Amino acid sequence: MRLLTFSFLKNCTLKSFFNGKPRKYSRVTQTEPKIPQLKGDPNYIEISPTWGTDIKPELRAAILQDMQVYPGFVTEEEEASLLAELEPYLKRMRYEFDHWDDAIQGFRETERSQFKPENQVILDRVKALAFTTDTLPHVHVLDLAAAGFIKPHIDAVRFCGDVIAGVCLCSSAVMRLEHQHEPALALHALLERRALYVMKGVARYEFTHAVLGGERSQWRHRPVPRRRRVAVLCRARPEPSS
Ligand code: OGA
Ligand code: MN
């Protein structure tokens, strides 16, 4: 069953896509991480100038905790190895450029529950770093064409738990997070080729995320040319109650 993918999400109305009641992220009920969590590089996150330092400082501190970028998480060899395994599946599919109001344009995707051992160790590293709870058994592979982009959305809470971790391959990209009710509260994340990002808590539930395309793909006023981009996405399993 293809539950977590955009093929599923794009069949939701945009309304239900955005208005699903996000559960509050509760740090109190989280089990303590078994290994110390590494910190991402804060230089890859840029709070928008519209978010003044005096506006919601606690939320600012929370989002800087809950959205982390780890540049160079995979080596060139690891990137090539992951792509060698994934390409045969992806190349069989056409990119979908659908109706203008779909949440994503110019994509093809697949899910995998089994990887070759040399690639499984990379995913195990992602899991060790990003997750303290179970992940979904399927890893989601999302291939965006150079002209593809993802519109602002919040991943459906029914099909995805607290944490989303993405390994970025083939091209750098810029992700924009925007508070679902207060558009001035926004940030950009530079997702370089071979970076990992980890989104959780307020970043996952209270902010929309979008992968920018075309002219909008900018970081600190400089264009970030978007070529074809492949994201390998691990997600936490939703709690049974949701
Ligand atoms: C998604 C998504 C982001 C990415 O598939 O829901 O937001 O990095 N993907 O491709
Ligand atoms: Mn998403």
Side-chain angles (χ1 to χ4, degrees), residues 6 9 17 150-151 153-156 164 175 197 199 209 233 235:
F6 257 107
L9 293 175
F17 199 42
I150 305 177
K151 293 184 187 173
H153 68 279
I154 294 174
D155 285 26
I164 302 166
M175 184 177 267
Y197 69 88
M199 187 190 292
H209 56 277
L233 299 152
R235 290 178 168 90

Side-chain angles (χ1 to χ4, degrees), residues 124-141:
D124 290 345
R125 237 163 63 216
V126 174
K127 288 177 187 172
L129 173 66
F131 296 88
T132 54
T133 58
D134 264 2
T135 52
L136 289 172
H138 293 88
V139 172
H140 177 200
V141 181

Side-chain angles (χ1 to χ4, degrees), residues 50-123:
T50 49
W51 190 345
T53 43
D54 53 333
I55 307 169
K56 301 234 166 129
E58 305 82 14
L59 186 60
R60 170 193 290 259
I63 191 101
L64 291 172
Q65 276 292 320
D66 288 351
M67 178 70 189
Q68 302 269 343
V69 179
Y70 302 83
F73 183 79
V74 295
T75 63
E76 286 184 29
E77 292 72 25
E78 288 171 330
E79 177 186 42
S81 167
L82 278 167
L83 287 169
E85 182 164 4
L86 298 171
E87 284 292 25
Y89 296 89
L90 295 172
K91 289 229 158 109
R92 275 190 229 142
M93 288 176 272
R94 290 220 187 130
Y95 287 112
E96 294 182 37
F97 286 90
D98 280 332
H99 195 253
W100 63 271
D101 66 351
D102 281 336
I104 183 166
Q105 287 288 316
F107 74 106
R108 52 193 184 184
E109 63 184 349
T110 184
E111 289 179 340
R112 282 183 85 76
S113 49
Q114 295 241 304
F115 283 83
K116 292 182 181 164
E118 62 270 32
N119 291 330
Q120 188 58 50
V121 297
I122 304 170
L123 295 163

Side-chain angles (χ1 to χ4, degrees), residues 219-230:
W219 172 254
R220 297 185 174 148
H221 307 294
R222 296 231 175 92
V224 176
R226 260 287 318 288
R227 298 180 307 275
R228 172 192 177 214
R229 169 178 185 270
V230 177

